[in-house]
Amino acid sequence: MRKRVFLIIGVLAGLLALGVATTVVIAQESNDDDKNSFFDDFVERVAEILDEDEDTVRDAMETAREETKEAWKEKWEQAYRDKLEEKLDAAVEAGKITQDEADEYLDWYDDRPDGASFSRGFGRHGKGFGHQRWGK
């Protein structure tokens, strides 16, 4: 009798999990369709207002998106480099490193390979200089 109750509970729990997973997948697909539909409608309307071809409008919007993304990336990188320079200056003033070491680190930072990210770790959690975490 107990085995049967546990079996029924297990089957019901499995069916419930399957139902929840199916609902999440359907909702996600619906949400993606809504986003694509909204964007398509938006492009169509802008093209209509500008009396332009939809492909021209879509290409212009993609170009603007890429240019804006690149500009923000450059701003973020410069702001991060400025902050890095401040931290190195503070480390030099505190006697933790020499000015030559700070300059050497900045030179290395400027010449680092593309994709090498050290933005989360330099002095993280107040632990000071030298706590880098690679690639995150």
Side-chain angles (χ1 to χ4, degrees), residues 1-14:
M1 178 72 175
R2 276 192 142 167
K3 288 182 182 180
R4 190 176 277 176
V5 169
F6 285 123
L7 179 64
I8 291 172
I9 291 173
V11 169
L12 289 175

Side-chain angles (χ1 to χ4, degrees), residues 85-98 102 122 128-129:
E85 213 169 327
E86 288 176 21
K87 289 199 178 261
L88 287 170
D89 289 344
V92 169
E93 287 180 25
K96 293 181 178 182
I97 62 172
T98 66
F122 187 78
F129 182 79

Side-chain angles (χ1 to χ4, degrees), residues 46-105:
V46 170
E48 191 177 298
I49 290 170
L50 295 175
D51 195 27
E52 284 288 337
D53 155 41
E54 280 184 44
D55 290 335
T56 303
V57 171
R58 191 177 306 274
D59 290 345
M61 291 176 77
E62 183 63 29
T63 300
R65 186 182 74 81
E66 288 299 320
E67 289 174 358
T68 303
K69 182 178 170 183
E70 191 60 35
W72 276 100
K73 181 180 175 189
E74 288 174 15
K75 285 181 183 180
W76 181 88
E77 286 174 351
Q78 184 58 48
Y80 181 76
R81 191 185 186 292
D82 293 346
K83 189 70 169 174
L84 175 63
E85 213 169 327
E86 288 176 21
K87 289 199 178 261
L88 287 170
D89 289 344
V92 169
E93 287 180 25
K96 293 181 178 182
I97 62 172
T98 66
Q99 185 61 51
D100 287 339
E101 289 172 325
D103 293 341
E104 185 179 326
Y105 189 87

